[in-house]
Amino acid sequence: MSITMGTTLASLVTNKRRVSALKSLGIVTVGDALTYYPFRVTEPVPLRAIREAAPGQQMAFAAVIRDMRVVPMNARRGYRLEATVDDADFARSRRVPGSTARLTFFSYRKSYVDWVSVRLRAGTSVVVSGMPGEYMGQLQFTHPEILTVAPVPAGAGAGLEGYARGAASGNGAFAGSADPYASAQSAYPPAATAPSGAALKYDADTVQEALTRVCRPRPVYHASSRISSEHIHETILGLLWMMGARTSSTPDGQLAGAGAAGIVAPATDTIAVQNGEEKSGTTAESGAEALSQSIPDVLPESVRKAKNLMHRAEAFLAIHDPASTARFKEAIETLRYEEAFVSQTSLLKARSHAHKSAAHSCPLVTDSLRDQFIASLPFSLTAGQQQVIHDIAADLAHDWPMQRLLQGEVGSGKTVVALAAMLQAVDAGYQAVLVAPTQVLAEQHAETIGRMVEQLKPAIPVTLLTGGMKLAARRKALAAASSGEPGIIVATHAAFSKTFQAPHLALVVIDEQHRFGVEQRESLNAKTDDGTTPHLLVMTATPIPRTAAMTWFGDLDISWLTELPGGRKPIRTVVVNEADAATMGRMFAHIRARVDAGERAYIVCPRIDADDEENEGGSGVSAAAGSARGRAAASGSSARTAAGGRVTRAAADAIGIDDPYETFDENGETVARPPLHAVAEIADRLQKLPQFQGIRFATLTGRDKDDVKTQVMADFAGGETPILVSTTVIEVGVDVKQASCIVIFDADRYGLSQLHQLRGRVGRGGTNSWAFLISRAEPGSPAEQRLEVIHHSLDGAEIAQADLEFRGAGDVLGDAQSGGKSSLKLLRVVKDADMIADARTRAGQLLAADPELAGEVQLAGAVLDFTRGNETFLTSS
């Protein structure tokens, strides 16, 4: 069976529970597994004899089991298993006296104790890795890692000379050599055969192999309550073995070499197919060649050599089975550059393709509708608005399609700029479509635009099209669009349906573009009868630093609106600890006072109801992280603090893998945190407070039907229900002038950019306004530090920069929250700016010589996968 990156794990892994657990982490294919990168790698474990042990310091040694007993713990229930080990032979090789130590295991499960008992029979050779402690005057290892070693066949040599040469080089496990155990043989012949009647499986064939495995740096993966980091690692190594890998990636840059540590063949009860197992004469070199064939390189050979990077197969091997931490980091850098190169090649190809397409030219005319509209505004445009309108006008006059991203702060006047562009298209005799992500926002846009253009001559038809419309109204809207009459169409996702036709479509405006995928946007290109491509203007209020936006949106021209129109007052932001009952009470009293003054208040919660295991789509926590936490909470797992503590930010940076936004224990498993607050729960609690007696509440969530959402917003704006408890569905575009207060529960679980977006829902009518961020973050924690940023800043660019630094580009720009697979897992937009710029330059040179990548088949495939896998670019939460 030929195994490729696209082969499904279900066809290879016989353990179906493991397949299911891996699928819950997004690992479905071999490619998913190999690109499920560890978040850190352990340091090599030093070799020490028992007499050299230092309490609290990790060590590894080889020994023989002298005796073993199981003791029932009647008072505490369960069992305690104790085994005494003797390291006399191992200690002799290190020129120190031998000694004994106790290995202790506790469990409530008799089956576990029985399993350990069988493995630790007297006379068994073992390799132990763990952290020593002391109990009742004797050295003790509690729940150490144990690898059992197969008995030495009768007549086999048991010399220690080769072993002593490797072990005596110092306490470091890999001092002076990639593998100091290369010539070691088992020095422990406790039994020539396995115990009678037992079909025992040993973890290693030799002491050399076992020591190598426990001492090597070991990758640690983000795990869950369903599968451990160790089992994830075991599965990935098994896949690499099946694809041809027989040895780890060695420091000299070769896939295989003399003395390299071997990858152990996976057990047949774990892996169904084992590549080449019938070829007993398979060499390390041929195995390496097979791995290279199964995992072809993506980067052009000239680029790889110029940058002195690893082969892709070699990099995967060095990440998942590293010979050293330095080798691991080198491999990470290789694949990080690969991501930069693929993404920039994709963006440059998209930009080039757009300029080759034809579009309707929409030049300005004398006494244009656009100029009439600007003159009719009751306020003066900011300098930024004037400049962007001018730039868009020049783009629309071309006969190739405009592709422009308009980024602006909440309330910076993006709608006015978009309407000016749409009027220019209508003036030229064409149609313009404004696509909004929700029905509520589409209805608001249609009402606002209709009011703003009602005085213009000639009259401009404004058509509303949403999925929640009654059939007769929907048919009328579709007929108006299909007539081709010049006008403005405001639509939701209904604009992407097959029934929507706009034959004279010249301009598409996407509001909050992160809510729509590339394929959805491109479906509008097929709405014209003459084969032209509409001009495209995408808008977002999600702040992204200028350098990051220029890097990431290389296929778009970018405009910024940084000035706020006059009359808006700064929003006062207050961080409130939920446990501070007095402050919470004063906050609720303040909200009641504002409501009594005729104002409105939003209360935002991440979840719909308390029974939800997962967060609602568009909640404050990324979908992947949310589900992992949900599983951890559902299983009742708690934080497991192993020795050494959690990974620090500095340690994560040193390794180069960013994921500070999640909370994991040392084994990579998600740490259970308090359940997120839910709309139903909070609405019920608040209505019972004395501060809100006589006040009507309303609730709004993504599950509500469109007509219900419309009615709820109307009642809220009208004051019938002055307090609205909702999920983050109010995040984008909701514009209620009287809203002056917003309370965000679980604020410590949101990204900063989203908190900034939510905060922008208040103060839109020029009144004083407040944002209360309710937090359960621990003092001094990263979550508390994030909230301090938004507490002290109203600058969207500054907040976005901090968000990128806290969370990494993935969550902010869309990989972790797009709801689909992402091609980007390692690249960091801020820290890797120089790398991305270099990749962009080299990608441009490659495309200039080979525009269709005909000579780089693997790169062309990776570019296609990138485009398909990254259908959203901005954060949707």
Side-chain angles (χ1 to χ4, degrees):
M1 177 180 178
S2 178
I3 301 172
T4 68
M5 298 286 279
T7 303
T8 61
L9 294 189
S11 65
L12 303 176
V13 180
T14 54
N15 187 328
K16 299 309 175 188
R17 292 181 63 183
R18 183 172 295 190
V19 171
S20 175
L22 291 169
K23 185 177 181 179
S24 70
L25 296 175
I27 305 173
V28 178
T29 67
V30 172
D32 295 334
L34 296 186
T35 57
Y36 191 77
Y37 302 119
F39 70 93
R40 71 181 180 95
V41 65
T42 63
E43 290 296 325
V45 177
L47 289 175
R48 289 178 186 160
I50 293 175
R51 282 190 181 273
E52 299 172 306
Q57 295 184 17
Q58 195 83 7
M59 60 176 283
F61 62 94
V64 176
I65 304 292
R66 290 306 178 208
D67 60 67
M68 181 270 299
R69 64 174 184 155
V70 176
V71 182
M73 297 186 296
N74 297 324
R76 296 172 51 195
R77 296 187 301 114
Y79 304 88
R80 181 177 78 251
L81 185 148
E82 295 178 350
T84 302
V85 293
D86 180 350
D87 75 337
D89 293 320
F90 176 80
R92 189 180 311 119
S93 73
R94 295 187 60 80
R95 299 181 176 87
V96 296
S99 186
T100 61
R102 181 191 295 125
L103 312 181
T104 306
F105 301 83
F106 299 93
S107 180
Y108 292 114
R109 292 186 297 143
K110 184 67 164 58
S111 59
Y112 172 77
V113 173
D114 290 342
W115 176 74
V116 176
S117 302
V118 170
R119 300 181 75 232
L120 302 187
R121 296 187 184 204
T124 303
S125 292
V126 294
V127 165
V128 181
S129 174
M131 193 169 297
E134 190 175 331
Y135 178 69
M136 297 183 66
Q138 185 175 2
L139 200 67
Q140 175 172 287
F141 293 80
T142 304
H143 285 273
E145 179 181 0
I146 301 286
L147 294 184
T148 57
V149 180
V152 177
L160 292 172
E161 293 78 7
Y163 179 77
R165 281 196 298 272
S169 60
N171 283 344
F174 290 92
S177 170
D179 184 5
Y181 322 114
S183 60
Q185 297 183 27
S186 174
Y188 313 97
T193 60
S196 175
L200 294 182
K201 282 181 56 179
Y202 293 95
D203 299 315
D205 292 330
T206 65
V207 171
Q208 164 211 338
E209 176 190 320
L211 284 171
T212 300
R213 283 168 58 184
V214 300
C215 291
R216 292 171 68 81
R218 188 170 311 179
V220 183
Y221 302 82
H222 288 321
S224 72
S225 58
R226 296 179 61 187
I227 185 168
S228 67
S229 172
E230 187 65 31
H231 282 155
I232 294 171
H233 187 214
E234 176 187 284
T235 302
I236 294 174
L237 286 185
L239 295 173
L240 287 168
W241 192 94
M242 295 165 64
M243 298 176 82
R246 296 295 182 269
T247 60
S248 66
S249 176
T250 57
D252 61 1
Q254 301 301 315
L255 273 171
I263 293 181
V264 180
T268 53
D269 59 353
T270 303
I271 298 293
V273 180
Q274 295 192 0
N275 179 35
E277 65 179 344
E278 73 286 352
K279 299 177 183 178
S280 57
T282 298
T283 65
E285 287 75 10
S286 64
E289 183 180 344
L291 185 64
S292 299
Q293 292 172 353
S294 300
I295 309 174
D297 217 343
V298 168
L299 288 174
E301 185 69 11
S302 59
V303 173
R304 188 171 73 83
K305 288 185 175 178
K307 297 294 293 180
N308 194 27
L309 301 173
M310 296 179 179
H311 187 284
R312 191 175 202 226
E314 182 186 353
F316 280 137
L317 202 50
I319 286 174
H320 296 296
D321 189 36
S324 66
T325 53
R327 194 74 177 146
F328 175 85
K329 293 172 186 176
E330 187 181 344
I332 289 291
E333 286 303 296
T334 291
L335 293 179
R336 180 172 285 142
Y337 190 88
E338 178 188 288
E339 289 185 355
F341 195 86
V342 170
S343 65
Q344 295 309 302
T345 303
S346 177
L347 294 173
L348 290 174
K349 274 182 66 69
R351 189 182 186 94
S352 173
H353 178 75
H355 284 188
K356 294 177 182 176
S357 303
H360 292 297
S361 175
C362 303
L364 276 174
V365 297
T366 305
D367 191 28
S368 65
L369 289 169
R370 191 203 73 168
D371 292 342
Q372 289 183 47
F373 160 65
I374 293 174
S376 71
L377 292 172
F379 53 83
S380 298
L381 296 178
T382 65
Q385 286 175 310
Q386 293 177 32
Q387 181 61 49
V388 174
I389 288 174
H390 173 77
D391 292 341
I392 291 175
D395 287 345
L396 292 176
H398 295 145
D399 58 2
W400 65 81
M402 169 182 73
Q403 288 192 295
R404 184 171 291 275
L405 170 67
L406 175 57
Q407 178 178 311
E409 284 281 3
V410 175
S412 60
K414 295 186 298 296
T415 303
V416 170
V417 172
L419 182 51
M422 290 189 286
L423 289 174
Q424 184 172 336
V426 172
D427 228 356
Y430 299 110
Q431 296 169 293
V433 174
L434 171 62
V435 187
T438 66
Q439 176 164 328
V440 169
L441 186 52
E443 290 172 344
Q444 285 190 0
H445 276 318
E447 180 184 349
T448 301
I449 290 172
R451 190 169 59 248
M452 297 175 90
V453 303
E454 62 185 357
Q455 302 300 325
L456 302 183
K457 300 297 180 184
I460 308 298
V462 179
T463 304
L464 175 65
L465 175 64
T466 70
M469 297 174 71
K470 292 185 177 179
L471 184 59
R474 181 179 172 84
R475 284 177 173 170
K476 184 177 179 181
L478 288 171
S482 62
S483 71
E485 178 187 4
I488 295 172
I489 303 161
V490 181
T492 57
H493 288 73
F496 305 121
S497 69
K498 293 181 180 179
T499 56
F500 175 73
Q501 297 295 326
H504 294 158
L505 183 60
L507 174 64
V508 175
V509 180
I510 305 285
D511 192 15
E512 294 306 327
Q513 77 127 354
H514 56 280
R515 301 301 173 107
F516 306 103
V518 171
E519 291 180 359
Q520 286 180 308
R521 297 200 299 265
E522 289 185 348
S523 71
L524 290 171
N525 293 346
K527 306 300 183 184
T528 57
D529 289 341
D530 51 14
T532 58
T533 300
H535 298 282
L536 177 66
L537 175 65
V538 293
M539 304 191 298
T540 180
T542 302
I544 301 171
R546 184 174 295 257
T547 54
M550 291 177 68
T551 296
W552 223 245
F553 303 102
D555 58 333
L556 304 176
D557 296 307
I558 304 173
S559 297
W560 281 268
L561 290 177
T562 56
E563 304 168 72
L564 294 181
R568 293 203 57 171
K569 297 180 180 178
I571 302 168
R572 303 174 195 176
T573 304
V574 183
V575 179
V576 181
N577 189 318
E578 189 173 337
D580 186 348
T583 303
M584 293 283 286
R586 290 197 300 273
M587 175 188 73
F588 291 134
H590 171 80
I591 292 172
R592 175 59 188 260
R594 303 321 307 162
V595 168
D596 289 342
E599 296 169 10
R600 314 280 185 271
Y602 297 105
I603 311 289
V604 179
C605 305
R607 293 198 298 171
I608 297 177
D609 55 57
D611 294 331
D612 288 336
E613 180 177 320
E614 307 285 349
N615 300 323
E616 182 191 23
S619 78
V621 188
S622 74
S627 63
R629 278 194 293 274
R631 288 190 296 274
S635 65
S637 64
S638 60
R640 288 170 19 203
T641 13
R646 293 187 179 84
V647 182
T648 64
R649 173 73 175 160
D653 281 347
I655 294 169
I657 299 179
D658 282 335
D659 197 0
Y661 193 61
E662 254 296 16
T663 302
F664 296 92
D665 67 14
E666 173 156 295
N667 294 318
E669 296 190 17
T670 51
V671 172
R673 293 196 276 179
L676 298 168
H677 286 300
V679 168
E681 164 216 349
I682 291 298
D684 182 61
R685 283 170 52 186
L686 295 186
Q687 290 178 83
K688 295 176 181 177
L689 293 177
Q691 292 96 325
F692 296 123
Q693 291 302 307
I695 297 294
R696 291 186 61 195
F697 282 68
T699 62
L700 182 68
T701 75
R703 288 184 190 164
D704 294 327
K705 294 183 178 179
D706 288 336
D707 56 341
V708 173
K709 291 178 183 177
T710 302
Q711 186 61 51
V712 166
M713 289 306 301
D715 291 346
F716 178 64
E720 293 183 38
T721 52
I723 297 181
L724 177 63
V725 185
S726 78
T727 58
T728 55
V729 293
I730 59 117
E731 173 190 350
V732 175
V734 173
D735 188 3
V736 177
K737 306 285 186 200
Q738 301 91 336
S740 64
C741 295
I742 185 168
V743 177
I744 305 172
F745 279 92
D746 295 307
D748 52 301
R749 308 281 282 274
Y750 290 78
L752 297 185
S753 294
Q754 187 179 21
L755 289 174
H756 184 60
Q757 277 270 58
L758 288 167
R759 179 170 61 179
R761 295 307 104 204
V762 298
R764 304 174 76 86
T767 61
N768 290 321
S769 54
W770 294 263
F772 298 98
L773 310 181
I774 312 302
S775 168
R776 290 183 280 186
E778 295 290 333
S781 66
E784 185 183 63
Q785 295 169 24
R786 285 199 301 271
L787 293 182
E788 282 303 302
V789 171
I790 202 159
H791 177 207
H792 295 293
S793 178
L794 293 171
D795 185 332
E798 179 183 330
I799 290 167
Q801 179 77 21
D803 212 8
L804 281 171
E805 292 172 356
F806 273 116
R807 296 204 285 167
D811 288 338
V812 178
L813 297 180
D815 346 318
Q817 298 172 336
S818 64
K821 297 178 181 178
S822 168
S823 302
L824 295 170
K825 300 186 178 182
L826 298 174
L827 199 62
R828 306 163 302 183
V829 168
V830 175
K831 294 181 180 178
D832 298 328
D834 291 342
M835 176 187 289
I836 294 170
D838 180 88
R840 188 176 183 84
T841 299
R842 294 178 187 273
Q845 294 169 350
L846 178 67
L847 288 172
D850 185 4
E852 299 304 319
L853 299 177
E856 299 291 345
V857 177
Q858 296 300 328
L859 177 61
V863 166
L864 183 60
D865 289 342
F866 173 84
T867 304
R868 289 173 175 169
N870 291 274
E871 294 179 358
T872 59
F873 286 90
L874 302 177
T875 175
S876 62
S877 61

